[in-house]
Amino acid sequence: MSVLYIVGTPIGNLGDITLRAVETFKNVDFIAAEDTRHTLQLLNHLEIKKPLISCRAQNERAGAAKIVELLKQGHSVAYASDAGTPGISDPGAVLVDVVRDAGFQVVPIPGASAFATLISVAGSGGKTLIFEGFLSPKPGRRRSRLKELMQSGDAVIIYESPFRITKLLSDIADIDSTRRIVVGRELTKLHEEITSGSAGELRDDYVNRPSIKGEFAVFISGTKKIQLSEESADN
């Protein structure tokens, strides 16, 4: 059956793979991957052998064209990103559009994401949450967008690399040093670390660290929760 499955894979801990994801990998004819080397490690862990197709950001349209041809031949294909759910700061969106435009069914196989993982332990978020992904590496654009997000009053989730995390935390503290934030480092992995406090406190913590490793997700609390509580009290 010609179907493209979008498969969420673990973001670190291989134990987070879902039973449905495992069954999908076993049953499809081909597996497309953001990084075939990374996905091969996962498949070897699961003792699954399937032909692999590269479909990363740099060749996503070319990879999508190959997948469409396979679907036309009656094959089924599963797509997995390096880690987490495809389409969230990962390749996958272009592939989905191309395959759907070609008239084939696209089926989601949900899985882990740093976004959902951090929200589950953030503790507060109000009624609206903004997922921004990665901000611009350019300082001016990053600070300008960050100010817009924080002034919106909504909670925000941002992804960041170890190379710019101190700059991000410094920018947040410069805008509002008292704003509560939660920083998730290496989520679900061996050296997972989740820290919570004011923007000023976490900036000082990370600035004073001798070295910083890992990938980050940062939750910035909103200000609308207080307003909603006050409205509920009035009613």
Side-chain angles (χ1 to χ4, degrees):
M1 183 177 179
S2 300
V3 176
L4 171 66
Y5 298 93
I6 302 297
V7 183
T9 56
I11 60 176
N13 191 319
L14 296 183
D16 291 335
I17 189 75
T18 67
L19 293 174
R20 191 177 176 206
V22 174
E23 289 304 309
T24 300
F25 283 146
K26 287 180 177 179
N27 293 329
V28 295
D29 301 310
F30 293 86
I31 296 176
E34 180 182 353
D35 186 329
T36 54
R37 296 167 300 179
H38 185 96
T39 298
L40 182 59
Q41 291 177 354
L42 174 62
L43 295 176
N44 286 339
H45 173 76
L46 299 173
E47 299 182 346
I48 297 173
K49 293 184 178 181
K50 295 287 178 176
L52 291 172
I53 304 167
S54 174
C55 188
R56 60 189 190 277
Q58 293 82 353
N59 73 340
E60 193 168 2
R61 288 199 175 276
K66 291 181 181 178
I67 291 170
V68 168
E69 286 304 311
L70 290 172
L71 294 171
K72 288 180 178 178
Q73 295 169 20
H75 296 296
S76 57
V77 181
Y79 175 77
S81 64
D82 278 354
T85 297
I88 300 181
S89 290
D90 289 301
V94 171
L95 171 62
V96 168
D97 282 342
V98 171
V99 169
R100 187 171 284 130
D101 287 345
F104 295 101
Q105 185 180 8
V106 180
V107 176
I109 308 296
S113 72
F115 170 80
T117 301
L118 187 60
I119 291 171
S120 71
V121 295
S124 62
K127 293 184 67 176
T128 304
L129 178 67
I130 299 172
F131 173 66
E132 183 69 10
F134 287 93
L135 292 170
S136 171
K138 296 184 178 180
R141 291 184 181 179
R142 182 181 65 247
R143 286 192 291 266
S144 177
R145 179 56 180 158
L146 191 56
K147 190 172 182 179
E148 289 178 355
L149 292 168
M150 292 177 67
Q151 288 179 341
S152 73
D154 295 318
V156 181
I157 289 276
I158 295 171
Y159 287 171
E160 193 50 272
S161 73
F163 310 107
R164 290 194 296 270
I165 186 63
T166 56
K167 296 177 182 177
L168 173 64
L169 295 177
S170 294
D171 287 342
I172 296 172
D174 287 344
I175 296 170
D176 184 354
S177 63
T178 64
R179 187 74 66 93
R180 177 180 171 274
I181 64 174
V182 181
V183 177
R185 184 179 72 84
E186 291 289 86
L187 292 171
T188 80
K189 299 177 184 177
L190 179 63
H191 300 292
E192 176 183 84
E193 179 185 15
I194 299 171
T195 50
S196 175
S198 71
E201 290 170 342
L202 293 190
R203 172 199 56 199
D204 294 343
D205 175 6
Y206 273 88
V207 166
N208 291 317
R209 295 189 180 197
S211 65
I212 299 175
K213 297 179 181 180
E215 297 299 322
F216 291 83
V218 179
F219 171 88
I220 306 173
S221 64
T223 57
K224 290 182 178 179
K225 184 178 180 180
I226 296 175
Q227 298 172 5
L228 290 170
S229 298
E230 292 174 348
E231 291 173 2
S232 297
D234 292 339
N235 292 333

